[in-house]
Amino acid sequence: MDPFSALGVAASIIACIQLSQSLLKKLGPSAHRSQDLKLILRTMMQFRKAYETLKEYAELDESEEIRLATFRQVEEPLKECKDIIDNVVERLEKNSFLKQWVTGSAWDRKLQKCMSRLNEVRLLLDMAMQSDQLWFSVVDQAKEEKRRALLQWLSKTDPSTNHQAARKACMRGTGEWLLRNLEYRRWKENPRSFLWLQGLPGAGKTVLCSTVVEDVQDFCSSDSGHLVAFYYFSFSDSQKQNTTNFLRSILAQMIKQSNKAFHTAAPLYNDTDDPELQLHALKAMLRAIIAAHGYVFIVADALDECPRATATQDERQLVSETLEEIISWKLDSLHLMITSRKIADLESMIHGIPGVVTVFIQNDHVDADTRLYVASELQKDKKLRSWPPGIRTEIETTLERGANGMFRWVSCQLEMLRSCITPAQVRSCLKTLPETLYSTYERMLAEIDKKHIDMVITALKWLVIAERPLRLDELAEAVALGLEPGADFDIDNRLPDLTDILRVLGSLVAVEVSLPRRFYWLRSEYDSDSDSEFELDSVCHVSDAATTGNSDNPYYSPIVRLAHFSVREYLMSTLPKPWSTDHFNEADLHDFAAIACLNYIKLIMSHNSMFDDLYYYARSYWRVHVQKCKNHDRANSAKFITFLSEFRLTGGRPLERLLSSPITPTSSNSRLCSGQFCRSWAKCRDGYCSSGSTSGLGRSRPSTFRDHQ
């Protein structure tokens, strides 16, 4: 037993508090100096808080010697405090005190002396604590360093960007049906509950998930012992598709919310590179934190966007098994909710978990929300509200009838209606609306001007296969490489106005918050031995200006992604499309991206150019694309193998480690990703392009790097 507990101060304080509360409850407000009894209660509660803070400080350091030194500083004041509190308890328990209290005689003088002496001893205790203030400061610093290290280890992805995008898409009044749903209310209130929200593609599950997050955050806001953590799995970001990052993220959120969560998780922190040990440590942390808190809400969206079985593992299966294990802990404080489509493999996994309750997003629920959404769009959109009332009524009626529970379908039809310029065109469009999402996407592609089709196919290939969301300037540069990524680069393929690609792609893509381009390529030092780049999630935390970046500013570029998971599924499907689908399968797309990345690196090096828009992505992810197509049929990859054989890997690692049969690399481009070019470039970067002009293939840059760091 630690020396603080051995003194028994905490037990005495609790006894005094409980007795005071009991007296006040039984006797009620008295006309005779009731404030004195309340003063005892208030003083005891304040003293208890100070005592627990002192004990917490002492327990932060693992050194027994330091803990004992801290105890000796305050031992005598604490002993006297305990004696005084015990006297107060003894006096409160006496019948004579109750008689005096009820009959209204003079307030007990012994209690007055006790409270006066307690205040004096508290001053001595404060002085003892202040004399060791420097040590407490050191402990605070050590505690903060531990917290920072733990959060840095955990914070690999940032789901708040997805949450903010979903809240922006949410319209006031929608989703209320779910908050009133009986099963949802039971999930929120009942211990050890697991809810699965199912819906069709495009039914608005992500927006509903964000509504749930806001609701439970409001529910937990009044109690620091309650925790809320959320996660959005994302088809457009490979870092948001795995179990480890899911656990890391929800743990990081909990630790930020609660000191108790930090103290619970810190002893279990294990900074290891072994994936199995990492997963074990993360689960142990989560179990301990859930057990230590009253209510813990975990909300996970789009479980179906986890990839299915690959050559290495089935991530969707692993997430499902992890959820099953979390439920098997049988912790009453846990409230777990997931959302997804109803798909066979996921249904067989989740339905095997005991206690799961399923809520289906019914068409009538969504229809009410789509009516609100359409009415709002017709009111706030300048083009749509210009139509006569009769036309607007026809639009509302037709879209409500054809929605079939799909918000996404309604959004796409409104976008097509915006292109109409006469009432006749509107009525014609309403009569020929596509019935499904896939047929909607087919029409969108069919209506693209033929002279833009190569650019569109190139852009869609990149958006489907990119390992992380691409900035607009990165996507535009990738499009300039063309459909033949190994071909010579033509500078005339670059877009003078980058937003032209967005206008051509239309509703197939979505644009998110602008991010500062300079954090990707302006650096005071370049680590030539590192293969990492500035990750998107870390950039989001670098500057608040990132959330308000001006798209007209050359140093800001918005994030572009496919508008919905259903767009990716349509593009990867075998359904008829306005162009050949021969190369829209995952293995071929990784071939395409790997060759494009390598060719772009060679391009930048051969022109002795500054790092341009796509360089950091190419340098960081070309190897990932190679690894993901290494089991592809080599007979169909001859061009890729020939191209790749010209290069050697970073650090001189042989290609045989990535590809299934040996390839002998040549030395013609041995500088690729070796760091040699990076070091030589770093020496002259401050004098490079000093006039602000374009050299070689690089875009116009500022006069020096330091001017904008």
Side-chain angles (χ1 to χ4, degrees), residues 99 268 276 288 324 451 453 525 544 626 628 647 693:
K99 184 177 179 180
L268 302 171
E276 289 189 13
E324 183 173 9
K451 64 176 176 287
I453 196 66
E525 292 290 334
D544 291 336
V626 172
K628 290 189 175 181
F647 300 94
S693 62

Side-chain angles (χ1 to χ4, degrees), residues 438 460-461 464-465 562 565-575 577 579 581 583-590:
Y438 283 3
L460 292 176
K461 282 188 173 185
V464 165
I465 209 63
L562 294 176
F565 188 38
S566 57
V567 178
R568 187 184 194 277
E569 290 190 310
Y570 167 73
L571 293 172
M572 299 290 285
S573 72
T574 57
L575 292 173
K577 300 180 185 69
W579 71 79
T581 61
H583 300 292
F584 256 70
N585 66 71
E586 195 160 341
D588 282 333
L589 288 177
H590 281 298

Side-chain angles (χ1 to χ4, degrees), residues 90-291:
E90 181 183 357
R91 189 62 183 149
L92 291 176
E93 289 176 337
K94 286 190 175 181
N95 291 331
S96 58
F97 170 76
L98 290 176
K99 184 177 179 180
Q100 291 172 357
W101 176 258
V102 174
T103 58
S105 60
W107 175 251
D108 194 293
R109 291 182 179 179
K110 187 173 183 179
L111 281 178
Q112 286 182 328
K113 290 181 180 180
C114 286
M115 298 308 296
S116 176
R117 182 57 185 156
L118 182 61
N119 286 328
E120 293 175 2
V121 177
R122 282 182 60 193
L123 290 175
L124 294 175
L125 183 62
D126 289 341
M127 291 175 63
M129 293 173 65
Q130 289 171 8
S131 68
D132 215 15
Q133 188 174 6
L134 178 60
W135 180 82
F136 286 134
S137 176
V138 172
V139 171
D140 275 337
Q141 185 177 356
K143 173 184 174 183
E144 189 57 34
E145 287 176 358
K146 286 183 180 180
R147 181 192 293 270
R148 192 181 301 113
L150 180 56
L151 287 175
Q152 184 177 2
W153 183 67
L154 293 172
S155 301
K156 299 297 182 183
T157 57
D158 181 12
S160 67
T161 55
N162 305 77
H163 182 70
Q164 290 164 8
R167 294 315 297 160
K168 186 177 179 180
C170 181
M171 197 190 69
R172 184 184 296 273
T174 58
E176 294 295 328
W177 66 267
L178 178 60
L179 303 185
R180 295 191 299 267
N181 182 275
L182 179 60
E183 295 296 347
Y184 172 78
R185 296 205 308 270
R186 286 175 176 169
W187 167 77
K188 195 165 72 169
E189 297 168 1
N190 292 347
R192 206 164 62 207
S193 52
F194 182 17
L195 186 69
W196 184 12
L197 182 66
Q198 286 187 9
L200 295 171
K205 296 182 293 295
T206 297
V207 174
L208 280 172
C209 180
S210 72
T211 299
V212 169
V213 171
E214 296 288 316
D215 182 55
V216 294
Q217 284 180 338
D218 183 63
F219 176 75
C220 296
S221 61
S222 60
D223 194 325
S224 60
H226 298 172
L227 301 177
V228 180
F230 57 86
Y231 197 75
Y232 293 81
F233 291 97
S234 174
F235 71 93
S236 62
D237 189 344
S238 61
Q239 293 298 307
K240 294 181 179 178
Q241 296 173 3
N242 67 73
T243 309
T244 301
N245 285 349
F246 161 62
L247 293 174
R248 285 176 183 271
S249 178
I250 60 177
L251 283 168
Q253 294 173 63
M254 292 176 181
I255 289 170
K256 289 176 183 177
Q257 294 173 44
S258 166
N259 285 331
K260 188 176 184 180
F262 165 65
H263 294 310
T264 303
L268 302 171
Y269 170 40
N270 181 13
D271 188 3
T272 174
D273 293 330
D274 187 306
E276 289 189 13
L277 291 178
Q278 275 189 7
L279 195 59
H280 178 76
L282 293 169
K283 290 177 182 177
M285 286 184 191
L286 182 60
R287 182 171 187 171
I289 289 175
I290 295 174

Side-chain angles (χ1 to χ4, degrees), residues 368-646:
D369 285 350
T370 54
R371 280 195 297 272
L372 289 172
Y373 171 67
V374 172
S376 174
E377 289 296 304
L378 290 174
Q379 181 62 35
K380 71 181 183 182
D381 187 275
K382 184 177 180 180
K383 179 66 179 293
L384 295 175
R385 72 168 179 254
S386 66
W387 295 114
I391 293 292
R392 295 203 300 270
T393 300
E394 287 184 46
I395 292 174
E396 287 189 66
T397 304
T398 305
L399 293 185
E400 180 184 343
R401 186 169 57 246
N404 293 320
M406 292 183 290
F407 252 104
R408 171 68 183 157
W409 182 88
V410 173
S411 176
C412 291
Q413 311 318 316
L414 284 172
E415 188 63 32
M416 286 194 288
L417 288 168
R418 287 186 181 96
S419 64
C420 298
I421 58 176
T422 67
Q425 288 181 353
V426 172
R427 288 193 171 98
S428 176
C429 185
L430 290 174
K431 289 178 182 178
T432 58
L433 291 179
E435 295 183 358
T436 66
L437 274 177
Y438 283 3
S439 57
T440 299
Y441 300 147
E442 183 180 2
R443 174 181 286 190
M444 288 179 181
L445 292 171
E447 292 178 352
I448 293 174
D449 194 313
K450 289 184 178 180
K451 64 176 176 287
H452 299 319
I453 196 66
D454 284 355
M455 179 173 65
V456 168
I457 295 175
T458 305
L460 292 176
K461 282 188 173 185
W462 277 100
L463 291 172
V464 165
I465 209 63
E467 287 296 310
R468 62 152 171 79
L470 297 175
R471 301 189 322 273
L472 176 58
D473 57 297
E474 290 177 319
L475 179 62
E477 189 76 352
V479 167
L481 290 172
L483 276 173
E484 295 296 331
D488 292 337
F489 183 81
D490 185 352
I491 196 170
D492 288 337
N493 286 333
R494 278 182 170 157
L495 297 168
D497 183 355
L498 302 187
T499 58
D500 282 341
I501 187 65
L502 300 179
R503 282 187 281 271
V504 173
L505 290 169
S507 294
L508 294 170
V509 298
V511 179
E512 295 179 352
V513 61
S514 296
L515 291 179
R517 290 166 59 181
R518 63 194 180 104
F519 286 116
Y520 283 83
W521 59 272
L522 293 178
R523 304 180 68 176
S524 58
E525 292 290 334
Y526 185 82
D527 180 6
S528 60
D529 297 323
S530 172
D531 291 319
S532 64
E533 67 171 316
F534 282 119
E535 292 293 341
L536 172 63
D537 294 318
S538 63
V539 171
C540 291
H541 296 292
V542 171
S543 171
D544 291 336
T547 61
T548 57
N550 184 352
S551 60
D552 296 330
N553 188 323
Y555 297 108
Y556 282 86
S557 187
I559 295 298
V560 184
R561 60 174 177 81
L562 294 176
H564 196 263
F565 188 38
S566 57
V567 178
R568 187 184 194 277
E569 290 190 310
Y570 167 73
L571 293 172
M572 299 290 285
S573 72
T574 57
L575 292 173
K577 300 180 185 69
W579 71 79
S580 172
T581 61
D582 291 345
H583 300 292
F584 256 70
N585 66 71
E586 195 160 341
D588 282 333
L589 288 177
H590 281 298
D591 278 1
F592 168 84
I595 294 174
C597 289
L598 290 168
N599 195 42
Y600 192 76
I601 296 170
K602 183 176 71 171
L603 175 75
I604 296 297
M605 291 169 56
S606 63
H607 287 76
N608 199 27
S609 173
M610 291 181 64
F611 297 166
D612 218 294
D613 298 314
L614 195 61
Y615 178 81
Y616 278 118
Y617 180 90
R619 184 176 186 271
S620 297
Y621 291 105
W622 74 268
R623 187 182 297 110
V624 177
H625 291 300
V626 172
Q627 289 170 332
K628 290 189 175 181
C629 67
K630 65 180 179 180
N631 294 320
H632 185 40
D633 183 0
R634 298 178 64 81
N636 296 329
S637 303
K639 182 171 65 174
F640 167 70
I641 298 301
T642 301
F643 187 85
L644 188 60
S645 65
E646 298 178 5

